[in-house]
Structure formats: C-alpha cells, structure tokens
Amino acid sequence: MVGETTVPLLPCGSIDDLAKFYLALGFEQAFRQVRPNPYLALRREDLHLHFFGMPDFDPEKSYGSCLVYVPDTGALYEAFAAGMRRTYGKLLVSGIPRMTRPRKRKNASGLAGFTLVDPGGNWIRIFPSPGVGNTDAPVTGKLARALENAVVLADSKGDSHQAAKILDATLAREQDRAPVVELVEALVYRAKLALRLSDGEHARAVLARIHQTTLDDESRERLADALTVCDLETAARKI
C-alpha cells in the first residue's frame, strides 16, 4: 500500500506556548482542545505536528524528537528564521526554544540538516528529502574533522559541553596552521556553543577574534554564510 502518512505526537507543558511558537514559524492551527486532555494539531503545508499537554512537564528533560525530510532545508530555515525575528525580535540560538543553522553532519551521510528545539523541548530534526546526497569531497583537515565531531555531539546529541571541549583542544593545537576558512568556520561554531552554554564572555571573545581575522576575497566568498554572525552578536550582548 502507498500513500501512508505518519504524524508525530509530541509532549509539551503548555499547548498555548507551542501554538505561539509554531504560528510564528508559519504553521496554522488545525485543531485544539483543552478537555478532557490538552491537544494541539499544527500544520505548515504538508508538514504536520501534533502535541499533547502534560502537567508539570520539564522541557529540559524531554526526549521528544522526530525527523522531517524536506526538499530544501535552506529555504525552510530562512522562513523559520524570518518568523522568529518578526515575533521575538531575534533569531533564537540558545536556550529553549532555539534553532541551529543548516550544517552538514557526518552522522547523516553529509546531509545539510538543522534542528528546531521547541518550547516543549522537542527536537525537530530537519534534513533534505531522500535522494538528495552530499557530493562534496570529505574533509581532511584536523580542525575541520574536529568541527564535524562537535556538530554531531552538539546538534544531534545535545552535548554542547563535550563539543566545546573538542573544539577548544583542537583550536589550541591547530589554530596557527589550519586553513583560514576552516579556522573561521570552527570559531563561528564555537561562538554558537558558548551561547548555548550561556557563556556570553567567551562568545564575545570568539566573535571579536573572527572580526580580527584577515580574509582574502575568495575566503570571504566561501565563508559568506558562516560570517553572517549578527544574530550571534545580538545574543552575546544579552548574556
């Protein structure tokens, strides 16, 4: 049989908090009830997410998660980011809720996915649709490999502390000999980790170092996406 549909059903503390967050991202409310049990159904085109409310629910301890495959992760990320900025005045990059930037992950065949962590602590993991693979050459530099490992630990497993340790150790050894593109990409991600760990001082120091790094035109072009750090700087000033 073909045409089956699976809809994730995820926990939360407040369906009202979930509704506000997802409506900001362009979803619409398909169904809502408070009794006999809190329940919320949301949809954004063909993307459907359902939630059930639980008393005394702690988002920090949530194991809720699901995979979402989309034709264009970049376009969806930009749409979500625009909605966050309209509603919250900034891109949410730390705490709960938050969103990561699309980044290739070695534990997902190099697919450029991103993660949305909603107010219920649910990890909505978004990847390109099946058949959209990674054609880039594998990374070979030590710092680039350390960055790959850090991304897996922080974005896929939620262990930002260990990811920061890996990057710090490799940066200390390789910062003077790594290619400048690899160095800046690692520094940008390290700043993001600092924000997730509520270490504003470290984030500001790393961002200052990025600005002080000399880049030629080719490097700037390759780093165009990574160098969009205004959201990080805004968040760093508030910690």
Side-chain angles (χ1 to χ4, degrees), residues 83-121:
M84 282 185 180
R85 293 187 181 103
R86 283 194 302 269
T87 302
Y88 300 99
K90 62 180 180 178
L91 185 63
L92 304 176
V93 297
S94 63
I96 295 177
R98 67 179 181 273
M99 182 171 65
T100 68
R101 183 175 291 276
R103 187 177 291 276
K104 294 175 182 177
R105 304 183 193 180
K106 72 172 187 177
N107 64 329
S109 301
L111 299 182
F114 70 95
T115 299
L116 185 72
V117 181
D118 68 24

Tab-separated table of all heavy atoms in Angstrom, residues 83-121:
chain	number	residue	atom	x	y	z
A	83	GLY	N	10.356	34.286	10.648
A	83	GLY	CA	9.249	34.280	11.601
A	83	GLY	C	9.715	34.548	13.023
A	83	GLY	O	9.050	35.268	13.787
A	84	MET	N	10.863	33.980	13.398
A	84	MET	CA	11.406	34.236	14.736
A	84	MET	C	11.722	35.713	14.921
A	84	MET	O	11.414	36.308	15.961
A	84	MET	CB	12.681	33.412	14.943
A	84	MET	CG	12.455	31.955	15.250
A	84	MET	SD	14.030	31.135	15.608
A	84	MET	CE	13.439	29.460	15.916
A	85	ARG	N	12.350	36.296	13.916
A	85	ARG	CA	12.733	37.705	14.041
A	85	ARG	C	11.505	38.606	14.140
A	85	ARG	O	11.518	39.595	14.882
A	85	ARG	CB	13.620	38.101	12.862
A	85	ARG	CG	14.984	37.410	12.858
A	85	ARG	CD	15.885	37.968	11.764
A	85	ARG	NE	17.168	37.297	11.749
A	85	ARG	CZ	17.517	36.368	10.855
A	85	ARG	NH1	16.667	36.026	9.895
A	85	ARG	NH2	18.701	35.795	10.902
A	86	ARG	N	10.451	38.275	13.393
A	86	ARG	CA	9.234	39.085	13.463
A	86	ARG	C	8.591	39.008	14.846
A	86	ARG	O	8.118	40.010	15.386
A	86	ARG	CB	8.229	38.630	12.398
A	86	ARG	CG	8.527	39.086	10.988
A	86	ARG	CD	7.324	38.873	10.087
A	86	ARG	NE	6.916	37.467	10.057
A	86	ARG	CZ	7.364	36.584	9.171
A	86	ARG	NH1	8.228	36.957	8.248
A	86	ARG	NH2	6.941	35.339	9.201
A	87	THR	N	8.559	37.803	15.407
A	87	THR	CA	7.838	37.596	16.660
A	87	THR	C	8.687	37.892	17.894
A	87	THR	O	8.205	38.505	18.860
A	87	THR	CB	7.317	36.151	16.737
A	87	THR	OG1	6.469	35.903	15.607
A	87	THR	CG2	6.539	35.900	18.016
A	88	TYR	N	9.934	37.451	17.868
A	88	TYR	CA	10.788	37.566	19.056
A	88	TYR	C	11.836	38.671	18.941
A	88	TYR	O	12.555	38.949	19.900
A	88	TYR	CB	11.487	36.231	19.329
A	88	TYR	CG	10.522	35.093	19.573
A	88	TYR	CD1	10.194	34.200	18.549
A	88	TYR	CD2	9.929	34.903	20.814
A	88	TYR	CE1	9.311	33.153	18.761
A	88	TYR	CE2	9.045	33.863	21.044
A	88	TYR	CZ	8.734	32.987	20.001
A	88	TYR	OH	7.856	31.958	20.219
A	89	GLY	N	11.950	39.257	17.750
A	89	GLY	CA	12.927	40.321	17.559
A	89	GLY	C	14.344	39.849	17.341
A	89	GLY	O	15.267	40.660	17.244
A	90	LYS	N	14.548	38.536	17.242
A	90	LYS	CA	15.885	37.983	17.051
A	90	LYS	C	15.767	36.518	16.638
A	90	LYS	O	14.697	35.899	16.754
A	90	LYS	CB	16.694	38.075	18.341
A	90	LYS	CG	16.085	37.281	19.490
A	90	LYS	CD	16.909	37.383	20.762
A	90	LYS	CE	16.273	36.568	21.893
A	90	LYS	NZ	17.094	36.614	23.128
A	91	LEU	N	16.867	35.988	16.173
A	91	LEU	CA	16.955	34.560	15.911
A	91	LEU	C	17.285	33.858	17.222
A	91	LEU	O	18.224	34.248	17.922
A	91	LEU	CB	18.042	34.283	14.871
A	91	LEU	CG	18.187	32.834	14.388
A	91	LEU	CD1	16.921	32.384	13.681
A	91	LEU	CD2	19.389	32.711	13.466
A	92	LEU	N	16.525	32.849	17.585
A	92	LEU	CA	16.733	32.142	18.847
A	92	LEU	C	17.838	31.110	18.660
A	92	LEU	O	17.641	30.091	17.993
A	92	LEU	CB	15.436	31.468	19.285
A	92	LEU	CG	14.223	32.401	19.416
A	92	LEU	CD1	12.968	31.613	19.756
A	92	LEU	CD2	14.486	33.480	20.462
A	93	VAL	N	19.005	31.360	19.240
A	93	VAL	CA	20.166	30.489	19.021
A	93	VAL	C	20.599	29.761	20.283
A	93	VAL	O	21.505	28.924	20.237
A	93	VAL	CB	21.358	31.292	18.454
A	93	VAL	CG1	21.018	31.872	17.098
A	93	VAL	CG2	21.795	32.404	19.414
A	94	SER	N	20.002	30.047	21.426
A	94	SER	CA	20.382	29.372	22.663
A	94	SER	C	19.157	29.200	23.539
A	94	SER	O	18.137	29.870	23.366
A	94	SER	CB	21.456	30.173	23.408
A	94	SER	OG	20.965	31.440	23.799
A	95	GLY	N	19.274	28.290	24.501
A	95	GLY	CA	18.165	28.033	25.412
A	95	GLY	C	17.051	27.248	24.743
A	95	GLY	O	17.230	26.605	23.718
A	96	ILE	N	15.889	27.295	25.342
A	96	ILE	CA	14.683	26.645	24.814
A	96	ILE	C	13.597	27.693	24.730
A	96	ILE	O	13.277	28.328	25.744
A	96	ILE	CB	14.224	25.483	25.733
A	96	ILE	CG1	15.278	24.373	25.757
A	96	ILE	CG2	12.894	24.906	25.254
A	96	ILE	CD1	14.929	23.219	26.692
A	97	PRO	N	13.053	27.941	23.526
A	97	PRO	CA	13.323	27.274	22.241
A	97	PRO	C	14.549	27.857	21.546
A	97	PRO	O	15.025	28.936	21.897
A	97	PRO	CB	12.053	27.562	21.438
A	97	PRO	CG	11.617	28.911	21.953
A	97	PRO	CD	11.954	28.910	23.432
A	98	ARG	N	15.030	27.152	20.502
A	98	ARG	CA	16.166	27.612	19.719
A	98	ARG	C	16.170	26.891	18.370
A	98	ARG	O	15.419	25.941	18.154
A	98	ARG	CB	17.488	27.355	20.439
A	98	ARG	CG	17.844	25.874	20.606
A	98	ARG	CD	19.176	25.703	21.308
A	98	ARG	NE	19.564	24.313	21.458
A	98	ARG	CZ	19.215	23.514	22.452
A	98	ARG	NH1	18.438	23.987	23.413
A	98	ARG	NH2	19.620	22.264	22.501
A	99	MET	N	17.072	27.345	17.483
A	99	MET	CA	17.209	26.715	16.176
A	99	MET	C	18.670	26.770	15.751
A	99	MET	O	19.345	27.778	15.946
A	99	MET	CB	16.330	27.419	15.135
A	99	MET	CG	16.373	26.782	13.751
A	99	MET	SD	15.130	27.470	12.613
A	99	MET	CE	15.697	29.175	12.456
A	100	THR	N	19.166	25.691	15.184
A	100	THR	CA	20.527	25.670	14.657
A	100	THR	C	20.507	26.026	13.173
A	100	THR	O	19.481	25.903	12.505
A	100	THR	CB	21.171	24.284	14.825
A	100	THR	OG1	20.501	23.334	13.979
A	100	THR	CG2	21.080	23.810	16.277
A	101	ARG	N	21.642	26.478	12.670
A	101	ARG	CA	21.769	26.792	11.248
A	101	ARG	C	22.013	25.499	10.471
A	101	ARG	O	22.661	24.582	10.978
A	101	ARG	CB	22.921	27.775	11.033
A	101	ARG	CG	23.100	28.233	9.595
A	101	ARG	CD	24.184	29.283	9.508
A	101	ARG	NE	23.779	30.525	10.136
A	101	ARG	CZ	23.054	31.464	9.531
A	101	ARG	NH1	22.661	31.297	8.273
A	101	ARG	NH2	22.728	32.566	10.157
A	102	PRO	N	21.515	25.372	9.216
A	102	PRO	CA	21.786	24.171	8.425
A	102	PRO	C	23.282	23.893	8.335
A	102	PRO	O	24.074	24.776	8.002
A	102	PRO	CB	21.200	24.511	7.049
A	102	PRO	CG	20.116	25.486	7.346
A	102	PRO	CD	20.637	26.312	8.490
A	103	ARG	N	23.673	22.680	8.651
A	103	ARG	CA	25.085	22.309	8.655
A	103	ARG	C	25.199	20.823	8.316
A	103	ARG	O	24.450	20.002	8.832
A	103	ARG	CB	25.693	22.576	10.035
A	103	ARG	CG	27.183	22.373	10.104
A	103	ARG	CD	27.693	22.722	11.485
A	103	ARG	NE	27.614	24.145	11.759
A	103	ARG	CZ	28.549	25.018	11.391
A	103	ARG	NH1	29.607	24.614	10.727
A	103	ARG	NH2	28.416	26.290	11.697
A	104	LYS	N	26.131	20.500	7.446
A	104	LYS	CA	26.325	19.105	7.058
A	104	LYS	C	26.791	18.295	8.259
A	104	LYS	O	27.615	18.752	9.048
A	104	LYS	CB	27.331	19.016	5.923
A	104	LYS	CG	26.825	19.645	4.633
A	104	LYS	CD	27.869	19.662	3.555
A	104	LYS	CE	27.321	20.352	2.305
A	104	LYS	NZ	28.334	20.452	1.230
A	105	ARG	N	26.253	17.069	8.377
A	105	ARG	CA	26.576	16.236	9.520
A	105	ARG	C	27.088	14.885	9.040
A	105	ARG	O	26.452	14.207	8.242
A	105	ARG	CB	25.347	16.039	10.404
A	105	ARG	CG	24.740	17.359	10.852
A	105	ARG	CD	23.579	17.151	11.790
A	105	ARG	NE	22.842	18.390	11.966
A	105	ARG	CZ	21.771	18.499	12.732
A	105	ARG	NH1	21.314	17.457	13.381
A	105	ARG	NH2	21.144	19.663	12.841
A	106	LYS	N	28.233	14.498	9.555
A	106	LYS	CA	28.833	13.251	9.090
A	106	LYS	C	28.030	12.033	9.545
A	106	LYS	O	28.136	10.973	8.936
A	106	LYS	CB	30.277	13.149	9.563
A	106	LYS	CG	30.461	12.892	11.046
A	106	LYS	CD	31.916	12.627	11.360
A	106	LYS	CE	32.107	12.192	12.796
A	106	LYS	NZ	33.519	11.874	13.093
A	107	ASN	N	27.214	12.165	10.601
A	107	ASN	CA	26.395	11.044	11.051
A	107	ASN	C	25.072	10.966	10.289
A	107	ASN	O	24.206	10.162	10.622
A	107	ASN	CB	26.120	11.138	12.551
A	107	ASN	CG	25.299	12.357	12.920
A	107	ASN	OD1	25.385	13.396	12.263
A	107	ASN	ND2	24.491	12.232	13.965
A	108	ALA	N	24.920	11.807	9.258
A	108	ALA	CA	23.708	11.776	8.427
A	108	ALA	C	24.100	11.823	6.954
A	108	ALA	O	23.474	12.499	6.150
A	108	ALA	CB	22.799	12.944	8.768
A	109	SER	N	25.171	11.091	6.618
A	109	SER	CA	25.660	10.989	5.238
A	109	SER	C	25.979	12.357	4.636
A	109	SER	O	25.838	12.573	3.434
A	109	SER	CB	24.630	10.266	4.359
A	109	SER	OG	24.375	8.969	4.865
A	110	GLY	N	26.393	13.284	5.470
A	110	GLY	CA	26.778	14.594	4.977
A	110	GLY	C	25.626	15.498	4.602
A	110	GLY	O	25.827	16.527	3.965
A	111	LEU	N	24.409	15.136	4.962
A	111	LEU	CA	23.260	15.968	4.603
A	111	LEU	C	23.231	17.236	5.451
A	111	LEU	O	23.530	17.220	6.641
A	111	LEU	CB	21.958	15.186	4.806
A	111	LEU	CG	21.802	13.918	3.971
A	111	LEU	CD1	20.454	13.272	4.240
A	111	LEU	CD2	21.950	14.206	2.488
A	112	ALA	N	22.857	18.328	4.813
A	112	ALA	CA	22.842	19.626	5.497
A	112	ALA	C	21.518	19.809	6.214
A	112	ALA	O	20.558	20.336	5.662
A	112	ALA	CB	23.071	20.753	4.492
A	113	GLY	N	21.457	19.362	7.448
A	113	GLY	CA	20.227	19.487	8.216
A	113	GLY	C	20.330	20.563	9.276
A	113	GLY	O	21.393	21.124	9.523
A	114	PHE	N	19.195	20.875	9.892
A	114	PHE	CA	19.190	21.771	11.047
A	114	PHE	C	18.165	21.259	12.040
A	114	PHE	O	17.326	20.408	11.726
A	114	PHE	CB	18.919	23.215	10.633
A	114	PHE	CG	17.522	23.519	10.160
A	114	PHE	CD1	16.565	24.024	11.024
A	114	PHE	CD2	17.167	23.322	8.827
A	114	PHE	CE1	15.284	24.323	10.589
A	114	PHE	CE2	15.891	23.619	8.374
A	114	PHE	CZ	14.942	24.123	9.254
A	115	THR	N	18.271	21.760	13.258
A	115	THR	CA	17.412	21.286	14.331
A	115	THR	C	16.635	22.442	14.944
A	115	THR	O	17.193	23.499	15.220
A	115	THR	CB	18.237	20.586	15.429
A	115	THR	OG1	18.907	19.460	14.865
A	115	THR	CG2	17.332	20.109	16.563
A	116	LEU	N	15.363	22.200	15.153
A	116	LEU	CA	14.483	23.133	15.830
A	116	LEU	C	14.135	22.523	17.186
A	116	LEU	O	13.607	21.409	17.241
A	116	LEU	CB	13.223	23.340	14.993
A	116	LEU	CG	12.213	24.386	15.461
A	116	LEU	CD1	12.760	25.786	15.236
A	116	LEU	CD2	10.891	24.201	14.714
A	117	VAL	N	14.462	23.220	18.263
A	117	VAL	CA	14.081	22.775	19.603
A	117	VAL	C	12.940	23.677	20.064
A	117	VAL	O	13.121	24.876	20.251
A	117	VAL	CB	15.261	22.851	20.592
A	117	VAL	CG1	14.837	22.352	21.967
A	117	VAL	CG2	16.437	22.031	20.072
A	118	ASP	N	11.746	23.112	20.216
A	118	ASP	CA	10.569	23.930	20.503
A	118	ASP	C	10.389	24.149	22.006
A	118	ASP	O	11.162	23.619	22.815
A	118	ASP	CB	9.324	23.320	19.845
A	118	ASP	CG	8.892	21.994	20.464
A	118	ASP	OD1	9.208	21.718	21.635
A	118	ASP	OD2	8.226	21.216	19.754
A	119	PRO	N	9.387	24.941	22.424
A	119	PRO	CA	9.209	25.218	23.851
A	119	PRO	C	8.938	23.977	24.699
A	119	PRO	O	9.075	24.033	25.925
A	119	PRO	CB	7.999	26.164	23.872
A	119	PRO	CG	8.038	26.846	22.549
A	119	PRO	CD	8.489	25.787	21.595
A	120	GLY	N	8.542	22.883	24.078
A	120	GLY	CA	8.349	21.639	24.809
A	120	GLY	C	9.617	20.819	24.954
A	120	GLY	O	9.593	19.735	25.527
A	121	GLY	N	10.744	21.348	24.410
A	121	GLY	CA	11.995	20.600	24.457
A	121	GLY	C	12.087	19.525	23.406
A	121	GLY	O	13.005	18.692	23.436
